[in-house]
Amino acid sequence: MVNGPMLLPSRHLRTGLLLVLGLGPYVSRNAIPAATVAENARIPMICPTSTHPRTTAGKDYVFRTTFTDPFQGRVLARFALEELGTQTAAVLYDVANDYNRDIARVFLEVFEAAGGQMVALESYTTGDQDFRAQLERIRNHRPGVLFLPNFDIDVIAQARQARQLGIDATFLGGDAWTPEVLGRHPELDGAFTTQHWHVGVADASPEARAFLAAYRQAYGQDPPGVSALAWDTMGLVFQAIQSAGRADPELIRDALSRIENYRGASGTITYRGTGGDPQRSAVIVQLKEGKVIFHKLVNPEPYELKGRS
């Protein structure tokens, strides 16, 4: 797998070997241009962790293993209303970043469509460190939840400043949060975030238990979410190649598109009828007393919740 753009102008490498499948990149800013290259070359590509819609939009040869940003936004909006029981929400997001902006937009749309009230929608620009002006406006509306679809360094400062200003809302975040890092900050105690994986998933999944045991044996520690997605990516590839019968790009692409109810370490994955964006599970975890606690396993639409309360 690679985490940079694929610079391959055609199906054939300079050695003359046929490229039949691309794996990666991981992050969306690299996956989006790589996906265009793969699509133009008619080479199937599967990305383990790229969540941005543009990675697969309008493409027949590009797939992802993870959930999408819009799915995260829907999950968190419904979670705030149905699980946390709040009717009011506020959002503070980085307007200069597609990831932050797009998740904020979906959260807003779904929260209001489901009957909630968005009492404050505030933005900032990458590099800002003082968020008190926006947070003061948020404080005046007393939201039940404050959604921070931002990256760790910003979330830490935002949560600290919010608590200093007396905001007592429950914090919510997306998969850009690193729970093990943010859980060390007491201001974020009680926060919830969507993630790709948690060892708690293994309690209800034999596939997850097998992956967890193999990873612990190999590395002597618990796996991060990216490793679970990489494991499932390779499993999907093996199944597609086996189904295709030979290493042919068109056959592999067709085989991937027909995969249905693949049971992986990170949940159940289906591509049939969905394009390159899978119908799949997501995990909600809670930061509690410095620990990352498995809270819910969220299935695709219709919105369903399973797990520990």
Side-chain angles (χ1 to χ4, degrees):
M1 296 183 189
V2 295
N3 198 28
M6 289 168 49
L7 303 176
L8 300 172
S10 72
R11 290 186 177 187
H12 293 274
L13 299 171
R14 291 179 182 178
T15 59
L17 295 176
L18 178 67
L19 178 67
V20 298
L21 180 74
L23 297 175
Y26 280 94
V27 296
S28 294
R29 66 175 175 269
N30 294 331
I32 291 169
T36 299
V37 174
E39 183 73 13
N40 291 339
R42 299 170 67 88
I43 300 166
M45 184 179 87
I46 181 167
C47 302
T49 60
S50 173
T51 57
H52 198 283
R54 285 174 55 199
T55 301
T56 57
K59 299 178 179 68
D60 295 322
Y61 289 82
V62 182
F63 301 79
R64 76 177 90 236
T65 311
T66 186
F67 46 67
T68 63
D69 292 341
F71 179 61
Q72 292 188 75
R74 291 195 300 272
V75 163
L76 288 165
R78 299 292 296 273
F79 179 76
L81 283 163
E82 299 175 11
E83 288 291 299
L84 301 183
T86 184
Q87 294 297 312
T88 57
V91 180
L92 175 61
Y93 68 99
D94 185 350
V95 71
N97 189 301
D98 287 347
Y99 168 88
N100 313 50
R101 186 174 60 248
D102 290 351
I103 295 183
R105 175 184 56 79
V106 173
F107 181 92
L108 166 64
E109 292 173 354
V110 174
F111 191 80
E112 291 190 331
Q117 181 183 7
M118 185 63 60
V119 296
L121 183 65
E122 298 286 341
S123 65
Y124 67 97
T125 302
T126 305
D128 289 351
Q129 298 179 3
D130 186 347
F131 309 98
R132 285 174 292 186
Q134 297 97 320
L135 290 168
E136 284 175 355
R137 290 191 290 270
I138 289 172
R139 179 190 61 190
N140 293 338
H141 292 284
R142 301 182 62 83
V145 297
L146 175 52
F147 183 35
L148 302 173
N150 309 313
F151 294 90
D152 290 350
I153 189 170
D154 291 345
V155 171
I156 292 167
Q158 291 160 1
R160 181 178 299 120
Q161 292 172 26
R163 294 302 189 225
Q164 289 171 348
L165 289 170
I167 295 174
D168 61 1
T170 299
F171 296 126
L172 300 179
D175 71 316
W177 284 24
T178 308
E180 295 78 11
V181 172
L182 298 181
R184 304 183 195 127
H185 297 269
E187 297 86 356
L188 283 153
D189 191 68
F192 295 91
T193 173
T194 48
Q195 294 290 303
H196 307 280
W197 159 262
H198 187 277
V199 294
V201 177
D203 292 343
S205 166
E207 292 80 14
R209 284 196 296 275
F211 163 69
L212 179 60
Y215 193 95
R216 283 173 170 171
Q217 183 176 5
Y219 300 105
Q221 61 185 23
D222 288 342
V226 66
S227 296
L229 290 171
W231 175 278
D232 286 346
T233 298
M234 295 307 301
L236 290 162
V237 166
F238 291 148
Q239 178 169 315
I241 292 175
Q242 185 177 37
S243 177
R246 65 176 189 270
D248 177 273
E250 296 290 342
L251 294 177
I252 293 172
R253 179 255 169 235
D254 292 344
L256 276 170
S257 70
R258 292 193 300 269
I259 288 178
E260 191 169 6
N261 295 325
Y262 175 85
R263 297 178 62 87
S266 63
T268 301
I269 300 170
T270 292
Y271 291 116
R272 182 184 291 274
T274 67
D277 295 337
Q279 288 185 338
R280 60 152 304 125
S281 310
V283 173
I284 293 180
V285 300
Q286 184 178 29
L287 310 183
K288 197 168 185 179
E289 298 178 352
K291 298 179 181 179
V292 183
I293 308 299
F294 173 66
H295 188 74
K296 297 286 180 182
L297 180 65
V298 183
N299 292 322
E301 306 290 356
Y303 182 83
E304 296 174 357
L305 293 168
K306 293 182 180 180
R308 289 193 287 267
S309 299

